[in-house]
Amino acid sequence: MGKISLYGLDASPPTRACLLTLKALDLPFEYVFVNLFEKENFSEDFSKKNPQHTVPLMQDDDDCIWDSHAIMAYLVEKYAASDELYPKDLLQRAKVDQLMHFESGVIFESALRRLTRPVLFYGESTLPRNQVDHVQQVYDFVETFLDDHDYMAGDQLTIADFSIVSTITSIGVFLELDQAKYPKITAWLERLKELPYYEEANGKGAAQFVQLLRSKNFTVVS
């Protein structure tokens, strides 16, 4: 196999989704920390590898991919011994893809990023309540998606779980998950926390993300 390098930082949810995948596949890789606050993602070397300047960035020998969903799918397709994490069955794969598009467009972009960027990068100290309400809508959707099965796409752990857990464990800093109201999400989170690599790949970084946001002392206003 090629030499895999993952560029990112633990606080980044998409980076953590890729770390979960790498750990699940038990793949050797180099982890390269990228300090976004020092604009290391705009360095000449990084820009050549990823002109979008985002993390995570994965390099497999000389080939570079920089979207977490594409990275996870690529890793499973190329290196997994089975297709459990990203099924080859067209319907099952479509369900996983559907959930990852939901994570990308709804959870990450419309909820997490919309709230995080003003606080972290532009010094905003207040957030409008109507934007924070998007977080509750996310919880409502995810609770419904889980239905009567153990994982997001059914009864088998997939990369959709890795993608969504990385953001679900981050958006709670804006609106804490009500465990009584969302018992299926609560049980799903506990299930994922039992994975032997979960804490290292996601738990630690999610805590860093929450601590970082809380240090900005933002408030939610109506």
Side-chain angles (χ1 to χ4, degrees), residues 6-21:
L6 184 71
Y7 295 75
L9 71 163
D10 288 354
S12 157
T15 298
R16 286 185 262 124
C18 293
L19 286 170
L20 284 163
T21 305

Side-chain angles (χ1 to χ4, degrees), residues 20-39:
L20 284 163
T21 305
L22 285 161
K23 292 293 185 181
L25 296 174
D26 197 24
L27 293 174
F29 66 98
E30 175 189 20
Y31 187 43
V32 182
F33 174 74
V34 180
N35 191 330
L36 303 186
F37 301 102
E38 296 295 329
K39 297 188 180 299

Side-chain angles (χ1 to χ4, degrees), residues 10-17 20 103 107-108 111-112 116 135 138-139 142 152 160-177 179 185-186 188-194 198-199 201-214:
D10 288 354
S12 157
T15 298
R16 286 185 262 124
L20 284 163
E103 189 280 332
I107 310 181
F108 185 81
L112 184 67
T116 301
V135 176
V138 166
Y139 290 151
V142 175
M152 293 305 311
D161 295 286
F162 295 159
S163 184
I164 292 175
V165 77
S166 71
T167 41
I168 283 288
T169 53
S170 302
I171 59 176
V173 69
F174 302 109
L175 182 64
E176 187 174 356
L177 180 73
Q179 296 186 1
I185 298 178
T186 301
W188 170 72
L189 287 171
E190 290 303 314
R191 206 168 288 120
L192 289 181
K193 288 176 182 178
E194 293 176 0
Y198 175 87
E199 183 59 28
N202 188 68
K204 179 180 66 173
Q208 289 179 13
F209 178 89
V210 170
Q211 184 179 19
L212 177 62
L213 265 295
R214 284 179 176 165

Side-chain angles (χ1 to χ4, degrees), residues 65-129:
I65 306 173
W66 59 79
D67 175 86
S68 63
H69 312 88
I71 291 170
M72 290 188 289
Y74 170 88
L75 289 170
V76 176
E77 285 278 18
K78 185 171 182 179
Y79 294 113
S82 71
D83 69 339
E84 290 180 352
L85 287 174
Y86 192 44
K88 294 186 182 298
D89 177 85
L90 289 178
L91 179 58
Q92 291 304 312
R93 174 163 293 198
K95 291 179 179 179
V96 173
D97 289 340
Q98 172 181 279
L99 289 161
M100 291 201 295
H101 286 300
F102 170 78
E103 189 280 332
S104 174
V106 179
I107 310 181
F108 185 81
E109 189 63 37
S110 298
L112 184 67
R113 192 177 188 188
R114 181 178 295 182
L115 295 169
T116 301
R117 284 180 68 84
V119 174
L120 284 187
F121 296 103
Y122 302 116
E124 293 288 340
S125 59
T126 60
L127 292 171
R129 169 66 62 184

